[in-house]
Amino acid sequence: MTALQNPKSSQEAVEIIINALQSGQKLALQGGGTKEAIGPPMKVSQILSSANLTGITLYEPSELVIAARSGTPLSEIEDILAQHNQRLSFDPPSYQGLLASAGIPTLGAVAACNLSGPRRISHGAARDSLIGMELINGKGDLIKNGGRVMKNVTGYDLTKLICGSWGTLGLLTQLCFKVQPKPETQTTLVFYDLDDHAAVSLMTKALASPFEVTSAAHISPDWSADQKQARTMLRMEGFETSLHYRSAELTAQLQTFGKAECFNEQTSTLLWQSVKGLSDLETQETDLLWKISLKPTNAPIMAAWLRNTYDAKVLLDWSGGLIWAALAISPNTQQDGAAKAIRHRLAQLGGHATLIKAPKNVRETGLSFHPPAQQMSKLIKAVKQSFDPYGIFNPDFMTKKQGE
């Protein structure tokens, strides 16, 4: 039986890690537990959770920074920012409904997984907003990096390295993010019935315009059960008077793609919440969900291959730089979730793929995360050796051992 450890302070967490080292035990690191179904199931005797490391430790609205312990619910962060008309710029998503999780999304998981929503294309990823952190490494050392305000951030930028490491390098105990003022309002332009090639062309043209598009996505009819037309969506944010001018000018520039429908703030917010949380899939039977990153210009080629090969449901985000592909379990996918075939195709197009949702037997193959190139693999092993020399954190989570 796996024991759950819930330290209430960084020092308690240090003691648990040192005890695990001394007894030769492995630890699975966990936040709110909402992403437990991602990646291979880990065979460990203990789960080290940050769920009790909660509370906002610093918030300076005038300095545009917020710091909190890693187990602090993401909703708590977003609520206090909203009270001061501010937000996290990278639009962090939650896959709680998609993965049918009973846990609570935490700030630490946002950093550990580098979770970034539709605004990533214009405002950068979570790692670009992370300016400070506190981490316990695999030797039990408490490390602090970065600053509590942007002007004090100096030294090696370990925050960029740790953000997106999925708990394989250490336990995050505290984080500091830069934030931004929330725009006065937003609107979304929607174009209908475009194929993938036309949609990517439209989105890239819109993003290259001077009219400040902050999100761009293309949703095919097969993605949503109640959607009969393809929708290509462009989000714009700012002052209402500015938006009125910008949306009109952009619509005029894109008129060759068809007539655009303009949605108000309330509807626009709902549209992008659906894209961010992939909520259209929550009510459907989806066995496999792939997150695929590649050049936007290659997205239509990859999307067509996914549909023809696996009858996949496809959503393009980040102007086509991100493909969400939902597949059913079939004779072609039941062994490895189509990992080898998808990555072989991506080797020809450039890009990488992560298996976000899959049955346990597929996850046990250890192919959820894209295997790094040989030279990159050496670097990853060196970094892992430096932070976690005894390999006690999330063992074999992102890479399989040779021969398995």
Side-chain angles (χ1 to χ4, degrees), residues 297-313:
T297 50
N298 284 337
I301 302 171
M302 188 67 188
W305 180 83
L306 287 164
R307 291 193 186 98
N308 293 334
T309 308
Y310 300 109
D311 194 25
K313 303 170 185 176

Side-chain angles (χ1 to χ4, degrees), residues 11-24 27 48 136-141 392-393:
Q11 190 53 48
E12 281 188 37
V14 167
E15 293 171 2
I16 291 170
I17 290 169
I18 290 176
N19 288 337
L21 277 172
Q22 293 174 344
S23 60
L27 298 172
L48 177 55
I136 307 172
N137 69 10
K139 295 178 284 188
D141 299 327
I392 68 167
F393 294 140

Side-chain angles (χ1 to χ4, degrees), residues 40-41 80 92 106 112 120 126 149 151 175 181 272 302 346 358-359 375 382 392:
I80 193 170
T106 63
R120 189 247 185 274
V149 292
K151 62 187 177 184
L175 303 130
W272 290 101
M302 188 67 188
L346 281 174
Q375 292 302 315
I392 68 167

Side-chain angles (χ1 to χ4, degrees), residues 186-188 235 263-272:
Q186 64 172 282
T187 188
T188 294
R235 176 161 58 182
F263 289 97
N264 63 18
E265 180 180 20
Q266 183 178 8
T267 304
S268 176
T269 300
L270 293 174
L271 287 172
W272 290 101

Side-chain angles (χ1 to χ4, degrees), residues 11 15 31 49 61 86 97 212 224 232 246 249 294 296 313 348:
Q11 190 53 48
E15 293 171 2
S49 171
Q86 294 181 343
E212 300 178 41
S224 177
T232 308
R246 287 158 47 207
E249 289 294 310
L294 74 173
K313 303 170 185 176
Q348 301 166 349

Side-chain angles (χ1 to χ4, degrees), residues 113-114 120 127 164 166 290-295 302 306 318 320-324 339 342-356 367-373 398:
C113 307
N114 192 31
R120 189 247 185 274
R127 62 165 55 94
W166 289 81
W290 281 94
K291 181 181 180 181
I292 301 169
S293 299
L294 74 173
K295 289 194 306 182
M302 188 67 188
L306 287 164
W318 303 352
L322 172 64
I323 296 177
W324 289 105
I342 286 174
R343 287 170 180 151
H344 177 74
R345 189 71 181 100
L346 281 174
Q348 301 166 349
L349 297 174
H352 59 88
T354 302
L355 183 56
I356 297 297
L367 295 172
S368 294
F369 293 92
H370 203 104
M398 296 186 77

Side-chain angles (χ1 to χ4, degrees), residues 276-344:
K276 181 171 71 170
L278 305 177
S279 57
D280 283 335
L281 291 185
E282 292 178 18
T283 58
Q284 301 182 49
E285 289 294 328
T286 301
D287 301 310
L288 303 166
L289 181 66
W290 281 94
K291 181 181 180 181
I292 301 169
S293 299
L294 74 173
K295 289 194 306 182
T297 50
N298 284 337
I301 302 171
M302 188 67 188
W305 180 83
L306 287 164
R307 291 193 186 98
N308 293 334
T309 308
Y310 300 109
D311 194 25
K313 303 170 185 176
V314 174
L315 184 153
L316 308 184
D317 199 358
W318 303 352
S319 189
L322 172 64
I323 296 177
W324 289 105
L327 285 63
I329 288 291
S330 69
N332 291 333
T333 63
Q334 62 185 355
Q335 296 299 320
D336 66 350
K340 292 179 182 177
I342 286 174
R343 287 170 180 151
H344 177 74

Side-chain angles (χ1 to χ4, degrees), residues 47-94:
I47 295 174
L48 177 55
S49 171
S50 62
N52 283 339
L53 300 176
T54 60
I56 295 170
T57 58
L58 170 78
Y59 180 35
E60 294 288 349
S62 62
E63 295 284 350
L64 297 175
V65 292
I66 191 167
R69 295 184 179 90
S70 58
T72 306
L74 179 60
S75 60
E76 183 178 332
I77 301 296
E78 293 178 326
D79 286 346
I80 193 170
L81 289 176
Q83 292 172 23
H84 292 82
N85 208 30
Q86 294 181 343
R87 70 183 185 187
L88 294 168
S89 63
F90 52 91
D91 208 12
S94 168

